[in-house]
Amino acid sequence: MSERIFNFSAGPAVLPVEVLEEARESLLNFKGTGIGIMEHSHRGKAFSGVLAQTIADCRKVAQIPDDYQVLFMQGGASSQFFTIPMNLLSTDDTADYLVTGSWSKKAVSQAKRFGSAHKAASSEDRNFCYIPTEVSYSDAPKYVHMTSNNTIFGTQFASEPQVPSGVPLICDASSDIFSRPIDIRKYGMVYAGAQKNLGPSGVTLVIVRNDLVEQANSDIPEMLQYRTFAENDSCYNTPPTFGIFIMGLVFQWILKNGGLEEIGRSNEKKASILYDYLKTSELFSATADTDSQSLMNVTFVTGNESTDKKFIEAATAAGFDGLKGHRSVGGMRASIYNAFPEQGVVELVKFMKDFEAKA
């Protein structure tokens, strides 16, 4: 696989090479069936086995209790922004949102369609460069919503926020799902688009507690009800079978590589290599506050847009792809998700040092 370059894309993002290799073989002939994995019926024995194993491995990876559902939905996290309040809010209800970036702002705008959305905390005053610690919850929120990692601004919650007793915490973990140990019991729901840490785009993982499924509104379209997916093993209609298959391989890869404890240690080590350099560099600087910096998305700038552009062009030519920052903030962003190799971070720092020496 020597022709592969270092992929720093924020998503769709890098996948483990061994997962890609197994997928390649399975595209033509899955486990000797003579039929490729993408061609198998979602109700056939072959895919039913894949689905059951994927759910079992997901539960094993995150130690998910029996009173939580593991669902596979479509539409990405963006569809969950309206599906959650559509299921859980009425016009008289209020949901609290911790606003730490563009995606949580969009979640708020969707919640307002179905009830009241209270901004309990926000870091917009400094362009989302930090995770806020001052939180003011409403009197009786139906749930509290957070975005655990912010790809655009390079910030991440170090731990779960304290929420009012009995209030479900709902987390959009699209860009740091299973990047470190997680206590599912602290959440009512965790959801994530797969395309950053779990698999290809097109499938969304939803881990939701049974009581939230049961109490959800039933006068909405079936395809937007969590109970529909829970009661039909995510197969009410044709699910994204290939995405689920790849996700299952990724779960097996995580387990093979020591589980979330070891994955977390690996991610901390990778990020520290880059952050340690940024602390000493006279050219590059991190944009997120130190105590809020993401292990998944390292955002940095030179302070000069022209120099940023030159660096991105030179880095791309040297085999470091996807370093251009989001169009809304500019600068650079190195996305170093679970499957990104440590050697890629080492090589990037070497390249940055060389670029700085010549600047």
Side-chain angles (χ1 to χ4, degrees):
M1 304 295 289
S2 59
E3 69 274 14
R4 287 175 62 82
I5 62 175
F6 292 120
N7 178 13
F8 289 93
S9 172
V14 61
L15 283 165
V17 170
E18 62 189 76
V19 167
L20 297 175
E21 289 175 336
E22 184 166 350
R24 177 178 60 189
E25 298 301 317
S26 297
L27 285 174
L28 289 176
N29 186 352
F30 176 63
K31 293 188 179 300
T33 60
I35 301 173
I37 183 61
M38 287 198 296
E39 304 166 290
H40 273 285
S41 167
H42 66 293
R43 302 198 188 280
K45 181 178 180 180
F47 179 73
S48 293
V50 167
L51 179 60
Q53 189 64 54
T54 300
I55 293 173
D57 287 339
C58 181
R59 289 188 178 278
K60 188 174 182 180
V61 164
Q63 300 180 14
I64 299 172
D66 291 339
D67 59 335
Y68 284 72
Q69 296 287 334
V70 175
L71 309 177
F72 302 102
M73 301 180 71
Q74 300 183 53
S78 294
S79 286
Q80 294 302 313
F81 295 165
F82 60 79
T83 303
I84 291 166
M86 185 182 288
N87 275 264
L88 300 181
L89 288 185
S90 66
T91 53
D92 296 327
D93 291 328
T94 297
D96 285 3
Y97 282 76
L98 309 181
V99 182
T100 53
S102 299
W103 302 115
S104 50
K105 283 181 65 177
K106 291 180 180 180
V108 168
S109 69
Q110 293 301 305
K112 289 179 178 178
R113 296 173 179 265
F114 305 98
S116 297
H118 168 67
K119 293 184 180 180
S122 175
S123 53
E124 191 168 10
D125 62 319
R126 292 176 52 214
N127 197 31
F128 301 117
C129 71
Y130 68 101
I131 296 296
T133 56
E134 295 185 8
V135 183
S136 178
Y137 293 115
S138 59
D139 291 338
K142 198 69 180 288
Y143 61 81
V144 173
H145 183 281
M146 64 179 289
T147 305
S148 54
N149 185 77
N150 301 284
T151 54
I152 294 176
F153 301 97
T155 63
Q156 182 180 32
F157 279 86
S159 60
E160 296 87 1
Q162 292 293 321
V163 299
S165 178
V167 177
L169 176 61
I170 296 178
C171 179
D172 174 4
S174 291
S175 55
D176 68 348
I177 184 76
F178 296 171
S179 64
R180 56 189 178 182
I182 181 172
D183 183 356
I184 293 295
R185 281 286 186 203
K186 293 182 177 180
Y187 301 88
M189 180 189 302
V190 176
Y191 65 95
Q195 66 272 15
K196 300 177 188 297
N197 254 347
L198 299 181
S201 58
V203 57
T204 306
L205 175 66
V206 176
I207 303 168
V208 55
R209 205 170 60 216
N210 284 344
D211 64 298
L212 296 181
V213 174
E214 293 162 0
Q215 72 185 41
N217 298 325
S218 58
D219 59 346
I220 57 178
E222 283 79 1
M223 281 299 293
L224 294 174
Q225 295 183 35
Y226 293 117
R227 65 172 53 85
T228 301
F229 288 80
E231 292 173 355
N232 293 275
D233 293 327
S234 300
C235 289
Y236 181 76
N237 72 331
T238 306
T241 57
F242 184 67
I244 293 170
F245 167 69
I246 297 294
M247 191 181 290
L249 296 183
V250 171
F251 293 154
Q252 292 172 18
W253 175 81
I254 291 174
L255 292 169
K256 179 181 176 182
N257 284 276
L260 297 187
E261 289 282 354
E262 188 56 41
I263 291 292
R265 282 192 286 270
S266 173
N267 286 329
E268 287 180 1
K269 184 178 180 182
K270 286 187 296 184
S272 66
I273 293 171
L274 184 48
Y275 282 124
D276 285 348
Y277 165 63
L278 291 173
K279 290 176 184 176
T280 62
S281 174
E282 295 183 1
L283 177 63
F284 301 100
S285 59
T287 60
D289 286 5
T290 301
D291 61 356
S292 300
Q293 289 173 343
S294 168
L295 301 182
M296 298 285 96
N297 310 97
V298 181
T299 53
F300 57 99
V301 295
T302 65
N304 183 290
E305 290 186 12
S306 177
T307 304
D308 287 351
K309 183 178 180 181
K310 290 178 181 177
F311 172 77
I312 293 166
E313 291 175 349
T316 302
F320 302 99
D321 193 62
L323 285 170
K324 185 177 181 180
H326 191 271
R327 60 185 178 277
S328 64
V329 295
M332 284 74 67
R333 171 176 55 183
S335 297
I336 47 178
Y337 301 117
N338 286 357
F340 192 87
E342 180 183 326
Q343 188 59 35
V345 183
V346 172
E347 294 297 328
L348 174 62
V349 169
K350 288 181 180 178
F351 180 81
M352 292 171 70
K353 288 180 177 179
D354 184 64
F355 184 90
E356 180 173 358
K358 296 176 181 178

